[in-house]
Amino acid sequence: MKVCARQFNLFLTLAVLAGFICGCSTESKEAKKEKKQTAALRVHIEVSRNDISSKQTVSVPRSDPVAVTIADDPVLTEANIITARIIDAPGGFAIEVQFDEIATSLLEHYSATNPGRHFVIFGQWGEKLANGRWLAAPLITHRIANGILAFTPDCSREEANQLVLGLNNLAAQMNQGFVK
């Protein structure tokens, strides 16, 4: 009987260890999946339709779209983001993006020299940047000197969460000095 009891305890111990290992690996897989989430954010500036430089016309938002002519090259990108977050706004939510010093001076320059025009924001999110579209076209009403750009995106809260998670993951990687 003593042998059977010891054998039973051994099996019980192995079963508990196997459950613990499987439980931990599932949790770490979810954490790894979240860390793999990435995102892109491109901020373009509205240009005159008569401008001779490279330009394109986009429609923002999806419902009741307005055509906006923008410069092909973005003025700000995800490479200069320090952090992003979702904030509560009247009637829903907004995304707030904090840029680094270089992008802060660019944001200040473009917002000061282009009042009455729009920043047009394109976002991509997901593990392989599978989802993406033109998210917003906030009107430039004043000089933005603090490096924070807030906008109400044309996306669901879940999509906004994925975008913000991906931007923060990318910012963390950039702060560590490498991008995988």
Side-chain angles (χ1 to χ4, degrees):
M1 274 313 237
K2 289 183 182 179
V3 173
C4 289
R6 285 185 186 164
Q7 192 174 18
F8 175 74
N9 287 338
L10 178 64
F11 287 131
L12 181 63
T13 303
L14 290 175
V16 169
L17 279 173
F20 179 72
I21 290 170
C22 289
C24 289
S25 71
T26 302
E27 186 175 72
S28 66
K29 283 181 183 178
E30 290 174 12
K32 285 180 183 178
K33 188 175 181 179
E34 274 193 6
K35 287 185 179 182
K36 284 184 179 181
Q37 290 285 333
T38 188
L41 188 83
R42 306 294 161 90
V43 180
H44 296 260
I45 190 79
E46 180 182 12
V47 296
S48 169
R49 292 180 192 255
N50 300 329
D51 194 347
I52 59 172
S53 65
S54 298
K55 61 185 178 195
Q56 62 178 314
T57 301
V58 298
S59 296
V60 184
R62 291 177 292 171
S63 63
D64 197 23
V66 174
V68 182
T69 303
I70 60 169
D72 278 341
D73 295 327
V75 295
L76 300 169
T77 70
E78 68 279 354
N80 298 98
I81 292 176
I82 294 173
T83 188
R85 66 185 184 128
I86 296 176
I87 57 174
D88 290 325
F93 64 94
I95 295 177
E96 183 180 86
V97 181
Q98 172 72 53
F99 289 98
D100 65 13
E101 286 182 40
I102 294 168
T104 295
S105 67
L106 286 171
L107 183 61
E108 182 175 11
H109 169 74
Y110 281 105
S111 62
T113 58
N114 293 289
R117 293 194 176 181
H118 293 89
F119 283 122
V120 182
I121 303 166
F122 181 81
Q124 286 182 292
W125 57 90
E127 194 170 322
K128 299 194 185 225
L129 298 179
N131 304 314
R133 66 176 161 271
W134 296 102
L135 295 174
L139 182 65
I140 302 169
T141 58
H142 62 282
R143 181 176 67 102
I144 303 171
N146 63 359
I148 297 174
L149 180 62
F151 61 93
T152 303
D154 179 22
C155 65
S156 69
R157 184 80 176 224
E158 182 182 327
E159 290 171 328
N161 285 334
Q162 290 176 12
L163 176 66
V164 167
L165 174 65
L167 291 173
N168 286 328
N169 286 345
L170 187 60
Q173 289 175 359
M174 297 294 269
N175 286 337
Q176 291 176 357
F178 65 95
V179 178
K180 289 185 180 178

